[in-house]
Amino acid sequence: MLQEIFIAAAAGGNANNALSQMGFEHLLHEMTSQPGEFAVSWVVLLTLVFMSAMSWYWTVINIFRSTRLKSAAARVPGLFWDAPNAQDAIRAMEEQPASEPFSKIALDAAQAAAHHQQAGTSESLSRSEFVDRALRQAVTRESNNLQGGMILLATVGATAPFVGLLGTVWGIYGALIKIGATGSASIDAVAGPVGEALIMTAIGLFVAIPAVFAFNFFSKINSATVSKFDTFAHDLHDFFATGSRVR
């Protein structure tokens, strides 16, 4: 009876010791105390930290940009159409910040119309075609500017789990080597290294999930913004091609 109690107590102690070795704090302690042995783990961890920092950086940048574009979409086209004449409308567009896309699109259309008028009959394209080409180029340029950081968010969302999995596979491989070298496969010997290795997969998921959500969210917002670019461009084409806005 006493022997069974001692065995149970020993097993409980081993289990408690194993659990204490499965946390992130213990993993950092092991990586710091034995940097050479955990070189791959360090590379994986630092890569995930860098990926997370960059994805959050572009998430914040896109939040500010989306907020600014939402305000501009409600304000700038109204300034153009509320102007009493084309000269005042163009002047209002020139007063906008250099980073504001709607005013750039309008100014490109105005410059194309003015250039065609100055060139006269020597232009092979009609006024409508000339303005349309300028507007297409402007919309494409501003649409491409919306993609800043989107490729990085997509890359982080797609690859971070696999980077974490690499750390897990390498950690389990190291744990198996230790087990083979010591000949011990007890819970105390196995749970700690395996638990530490699985932490890398968890970190990879924590890095990837916010990046995926951010990518999907900003993709939807950017699609709506591009649609507003197209609508404004169509109205500008009618205005500069015919001299009046078609409603």
Side-chain angles (χ1 to χ4, degrees), residues 17-59:
N17 187 37
L19 288 174
S20 68
Q21 297 179 14
M22 295 178 67
F24 183 70
E25 182 179 356
H26 187 268
L27 173 62
L28 284 180
H29 174 73
E30 290 291 320
M31 292 171 62
T32 304
S33 61
Q34 306 175 58
E37 184 177 344
F38 288 88
V40 175
S41 298
W42 272 114
V43 171
V44 170
L45 181 60
L46 293 177
T47 300
L48 290 174
V49 170
F50 175 76
M51 294 171 74
S52 179
M54 292 301 298
S55 64
W56 279 108
Y57 169 80
W58 281 109
T59 297

Side-chain angles (χ1 to χ4, degrees), residues 18-19 21-22 186-196:
L19 288 174
Q21 297 179 14
M22 295 178 67
S186 64
I187 186 66
D188 190 20
V190 175
V194 173
E196 293 170 359

Side-chain angles (χ1 to χ4, degrees), residues 221-239:
I221 291 179
N222 289 346
S223 296
T225 303
V226 171
S227 178
K228 293 177 182 178
F229 288 163
D230 288 334
T231 300
F232 188 46
H234 288 153
D235 291 340
L236 288 171
H237 174 267
D238 296 338
F239 179 78

